[in-house]
Amino acid sequence: MHPQCYEYLKSNPQLTRFVRLNPMWYRYLSREPSMLTHIDKEAKRFYGKTFPQRVEKLNNQVQMLEMLIQFAGAMKD
């Protein structure tokens, strides 16, 4: 692997873990170090940190809270 790729991964432990869990990225980076920009996007998608994934997670939490409120209201009656 190219030294700059190695240093970049070393500075970001989350990306290092992503590469360890997805060994195909190790091969991609070894052959073409310019793919560092792509690995960031894929890691965010993998860890659920993209904007749509965060909105969906927040939406699910709001729905769960609404269900709990309805359940508590039903238990009062």
Side-chain angles (χ1 to χ4, degrees), residues 49-76:
K49 292 187 175 185
T50 62
F51 184 72
Q53 288 172 324
R54 287 183 178 188
V55 169
E56 183 179 351
K57 183 178 178 182
L58 181 64
N59 188 23
N60 289 341
Q61 290 174 347
V62 168
Q63 287 178 353
M64 181 65 75
L65 184 61
E66 287 176 353
M67 283 180 22
L68 288 173
I69 290 171
Q70 288 177 355
F71 182 71
M75 293 300 287
K76 268 187 176 177

Side-chain angles (χ1 to χ4, degrees), residues 13 22 37 46 51-52 57 72:
N22 300 291
T37 57
F46 178 77
F51 184 72
K57 183 178 178 182

Side-chain angles (χ1 to χ4, degrees), residues 1-68:
M1 183 179 291
H2 294 275
Q4 69 188 89
C5 291
Y6 180 72
E7 288 299 321
Y8 185 72
L9 291 175
K10 192 175 175 183
S11 68
N12 192 339
Q14 193 172 30
L15 283 180
T16 304
R17 185 167 186 262
F18 174 73
V19 171
R20 286 182 181 160
L21 293 173
N22 300 291
M24 67 177 190
W25 278 100
Y26 180 78
R27 284 180 253 143
Y28 290 156
L29 292 174
S30 294
R31 293 176 186 157
E32 192 157 339
S34 63
M35 294 199 64
L36 279 176
T37 57
H38 298 290
I39 196 171
D40 285 332
K41 292 176 186 176
E42 288 298 319
K44 283 183 181 180
R45 189 175 299 129
F46 178 77
Y47 288 116
K49 292 187 175 185
T50 62
F51 184 72
Q53 288 172 324
R54 287 183 178 188
V55 169
E56 183 179 351
K57 183 178 178 182
L58 181 64
N59 188 23
N60 289 341
Q61 290 174 347
V62 168
Q63 287 178 353
M64 181 65 75
L65 184 61
E66 287 176 353
M67 283 180 22
L68 288 173

